[in-house]
Amino acid sequence: MSGAKKDFMMPVVVLTVICLVISAALAFTNNLTKPIIDAGASERADAVRLAVMPQADTFEKLDASGLPSSVTEAYQAKNGAGYVFTLVAKGYGGDMTILCGIDADGLITACKTLSHSETAGLGSKTAEDEYRNQYAGKDSGLAGVSAISGATISSKAYESAIKDAFAAFESIRGTAQ
């Protein structure tokens, strides 16, 4: 090999070997830490679900196919306390991700807004306790739930998502019986 080719090829070979060694080390580290990271993520997700279904012990993920399109995930409490639904509703400012717990008797235990991009001071009020707490204890009729003045689109999207949670609840409960 001539001197010019050697001067060109040697750094390429060295950099390639370094990249391969580093990639292998990263893959090895990822394989070691992935179960720990996944377990932590699962515990955090269960903690959020427990916030809307405090009577539950642990949760089992259910198949969400065939449920309303706003229902992205459905979980059943293993102790039979009820169900938790993750819903995505289209509000005024974009998507709202909502968690809704429905107990075995068909009453809302709690709702929680996980994320939203609603207008500050208006539609964003759907994420506040004063709005969310009015759903607790309600059945599928949602009697007494009031929209937020000036944020009708956001309020109606939130309420529609909760109605979809009840539709999913009825569907899942009907297949379990």
Side-chain angles (χ1 to χ4, degrees):
M1 202 182 255
S2 69
K5 281 186 179 179
K6 186 177 182 183
D7 288 343
F8 176 76
M9 290 300 291
M10 197 56 162
V12 170
V13 169
V14 169
L15 286 175
T16 302
V17 169
I18 289 172
C19 287
L20 290 172
V21 169
I22 296 299
S23 294
L26 285 172
F28 178 74
T29 302
N30 184 52
N31 283 338
L32 284 179
T33 59
K34 185 171 179 11
I36 298 166
I37 292 169
D38 289 347
S42 177
E43 286 174 16
R44 285 188 300 278
D46 273 351
V48 172
R49 285 188 281 277
L50 281 169
V52 297
M53 180 65 59
Q55 308 87 338
D57 50 1
T58 58
F59 296 94
E60 175 185 356
K61 188 171 185 174
L62 303 172
D63 180 17
S65 63
L67 300 179
S69 62
S70 63
V71 178
T72 59
E73 292 180 322
Y75 291 86
Q76 180 177 13
K78 288 187 178 178
N79 66 354
Y83 302 87
V84 175
F85 301 97
T86 305
L87 307 132
V88 176
K90 186 74 169 164
Y92 180 77
D95 287 343
M96 294 187 289
T97 304
I98 304 161
L99 216 55
C100 180
I102 301 177
D103 69 17
D105 296 326
L107 300 175
I108 295 175
T109 54
C111 295
K112 183 172 181 65
T113 305
L114 300 179
S115 67
H116 69 85
S117 52
E118 299 305 289
T119 306
L122 289 173
S124 65
K125 289 182 179 180
T126 58
E128 294 176 4
D129 288 345
E130 185 178 340
Y131 180 77
R132 292 182 307 105
N133 289 344
Q134 69 178 331
Y135 287 93
K138 302 289 186 206
D139 63 15
S140 61
L142 299 178
V145 171
S146 302
I148 297 170
S149 179
T152 308
I153 294 172
S154 302
S155 300
K156 292 299 179 190
Y158 199 100
E159 186 175 327
S160 178
I162 301 305
K163 287 180 179 180
D164 284 349
F166 276 108
F169 170 75
E170 291 300 330
S171 178
I172 288 171
R173 187 169 68 168
T175 59
Q177 293 177 352

